[in-house]
Amino acid sequence: MRAAPLHQLSQKRDIGGVTLKLKQFETLAAVLHTEFQKGVARAKGGRQGEVYLSVDEYADVDWDKLGFRLMETDYMYIMKCCQDDEFSHGHLNRYGNIELSPSAGVLNYAQGLFEGLKAYRKVNGNGFLIFRPEENARRMQIGSDRMCMPSPSVEQFVHAVKQTVLANKRWIPPPGKGSLYVRPLLMGSGPILGLAPASEYTFLVYAAPVGNYFKEGLAPINLVIQDESYRATPGGTGAVKTIANYSPVLKAQMQAKKKGFTDVLFLDAVDNKYLEEASSCNIFIRKVDERLVSVEDLTDADEVFCTGTAVVVAPVNSITYKGQRYKYNCGEDAVSRKLYKSLTDIQMGIAEDKKGWTVEID
Ligand code: COI
């Protein structure tokens, strides 16, 4: 790995034959400067207190072995604000642990939201594409209203995502090998003992290179229906992406995995018969009709597939309900395969984006 220490960086713009564009140079120099001021800089393969910046195009990763696991990257974005105030100044920091009071709102009362979106390396030419970041920003705003938190504006959210992607661009997999999964978090970071909104909020964005979500890769998955616990209840928080919606799923997920299933499919909490979603993604069944989909519809569906940012589009091979296994079309002619290709072609810049869904950065 080629690397240049800070003092060289601030004098030179051409390091080891790689010329940094002025914009990138300024961003990175600012990051390193901030770190020095705050005294949080860590030596990386060099003397204590000396910050090294890799100028390699790619991080040292076996891109063929990517799964959906955390790989620590270089930088994260942080922005803080007080209750009843607005977010104003964010900055990039070296990726690392953050300090929280033991009584932080997020730790004690799960006052937090997360988002997920992906950045791809463009297939044809330089630059990177992110997919509909404004929609993630808007969803975070809706969630923050439900969770009584201030939220970054759409512009602040998108800016933070772009900064995080560019600062970690050497971790964006080569085209066709995966993507950089970007994880924005909004949390009540201020201390609070009685149940109330926290006094301070932290918006943080980190990123990690990922491949396929399920260990099956692109192979069809096998689901099992769970009708004893629920993802969403009337009046609850199922409609927003609060962090507390996810860990209650773990028990059912672990039990299903022990029995060899890929994931769990949940039913609605009121009638216990309409399909809601899987642990980590949405569910679609192909039948031409627009209405609530009940478990009975699964008996004669042509095709079933899951969708989500992390999962993309995953064909479902079978769903097991009350011990009965239903099988679906996952062949080359399956709609899910066409959808997967159309979507990822747009996300990677292979197909024309006629809807204006992608945002180009470089
Ligand atoms: C998503 O893809 O929307 C997710 O929330 C995935 C996450 C549970 C890993």
Side-chain angles (χ1 to χ4, degrees):
M1 183 175 85
R2 274 170 296 135
L6 178 69
H7 64 273
Q8 280 176 21
L9 245 189
S10 51
Q11 291 156 11
K12 282 185 163 188
R13 288 174 194 182
D14 186 310
I15 307 148
V18 178
T19 308
L20 293 172
K21 286 185 196 159
L22 188 60
K23 202 172 64 183
Q24 295 167 324
F25 172 81
E26 282 171 349
T27 308
L28 290 166
V31 170
L32 298 175
H33 180 67
T34 312
E35 286 183 327
F36 259 81
Q37 277 187 327
K38 292 192 166 181
V40 295
R42 300 271 184 281
K44 209 178 180 188
R47 280 188 319 235
Q48 192 67 31
E50 200 166 54
V51 175
Y52 277 71
L53 166 72
S54 166
V55 288
D56 283 341
E57 190 184 358
Y58 282 106
D60 186 13
V61 173
D62 185 348
W63 301 110
D64 290 315
K65 295 220 172 97
L66 284 179
F68 203 91
R69 290 178 291 275
L70 181 69
M71 196 178 286
E72 294 188 2
T73 54
D74 297 328
Y75 294 99
M76 59 190 191
Y77 187 94
I78 295 195
M79 184 161 60
K80 292 188 184 229
C81 95
C82 292
Q83 194 191 6
D84 301 325
D85 206 350
E86 289 182 352
F87 284 99
S88 58
H89 297 297
H91 57 270
L92 287 165
N93 256 8
R94 197 78 201 173
Y95 178 90
N97 292 348
I98 56 170
E99 199 166 278
L100 277 179
S101 158
S103 61
V106 66
L107 295 181
N108 292 260
Y109 300 120
Q111 196 188 17
L113 293 165
F114 79 88
E115 273 301 327
L117 62 163
K118 285 176 172 172
Y120 290 85
R121 216 173 262 272
K122 274 182 82 179
V123 170
N124 311 316
N126 298 323
F128 314 100
L129 292 173
I130 42 179
F131 193 66
R132 305 178 83 203
E134 299 88 0
E135 295 306 317
N136 295 86
R138 288 190 192 107
R139 185 165 63 177
M140 181 167 269
Q141 288 189 326
I142 294 168
S144 67
D145 181 59
R146 177 69 179 82
M147 301 299 289
C148 297
M149 299 194 280
S151 178
S153 68
V154 171
E155 292 71 29
Q156 286 172 327
F157 182 103
V158 174
H159 175 74
V161 167
K162 286 183 180 173
Q163 293 282 104
T164 309
V165 170
L166 287 177
N168 293 302
K169 66 182 180 181
R170 71 193 187 103
W171 298 94
I172 306 179
K177 303 282 184 190
S179 58
L180 186 74
Y181 184 74
V182 183
R183 173 54 68 83
L185 293 172
L186 179 63
M187 59 188 131
S189 45
I192 192 86
L193 191 58
L195 179 58
S199 52
E200 181 208 71
Y201 294 85
T202 300
F203 173 63
L204 190 154
V205 187
Y206 68 92
V210 296
N212 293 315
Y213 186 76
F214 293 121
K215 69 170 175 24
E216 286 82 350
L218 294 179
I221 59 173
N222 297 299
L223 303 177
V224 60
I225 291 184
Q226 150 74 263
D227 58 0
E228 283 161 14
S229 63
Y230 303 96
R231 291 306 307 270
T233 51
T237 55
V240 298
K241 220 166 166 61
T242 174
I243 58 173
N245 287 349
Y246 288 81
S247 47
V249 167
L250 296 176
K251 193 160 187 191
Q253 192 192 52
M254 297 318 288
Q255 286 166 350
K257 284 193 175 176
K258 249 191 214 157
K259 292 182 187 151
F261 294 105
T262 318
D263 204 352
V264 184
L265 182 54
F266 290 87
L267 299 181
D268 77 289
V270 177
D271 296 298
N272 204 34
K273 71 172 190 177
Y274 296 110
L275 304 190
E276 286 223 325
E277 58 181 338
S279 305
S280 53
C281 51
N282 302 305
I283 183 92
F284 285 82
I285 81 164
R286 193 163 72 79
K287 263 176 124 181
V288 186
D289 217 345
E290 214 172 277
R291 57 180 167 78
L292 287 175
V293 180
S294 78
V295 272
E296 282 114 54
D297 290 301
L298 289 175
T299 56
D300 61 348
D302 299 322
E303 201 183 324
V304 180
F305 53 90
C306 290
T307 67
T309 302
V311 163
V312 190
V313 180
V316 174
N317 174 52
S318 76
I319 297 184
T320 302
Y321 180 50
K322 295 195 188 294
Q324 172 89 32
R325 187 171 198 149
Y326 301 96
K327 294 215 22 139
Y328 307 102
N329 175 24
C330 301
E332 287 308 311
D333 61 331
V335 167
S336 60
R337 300 218 183 252
K338 292 178 193 146
L339 273 178
Y340 178 88
K341 179 151 173 42
S342 307
L343 177 65
T344 52
D345 277 1
I346 295 172
Q347 289 176 323
M348 288 187 280
I350 297 172
E352 190 190 348
D353 171 16
K354 295 184 181 148
K355 304 266 187 202
W357 284 340
T358 50
V359 174
E360 191 163 348
I361 50 174
D362 59 17

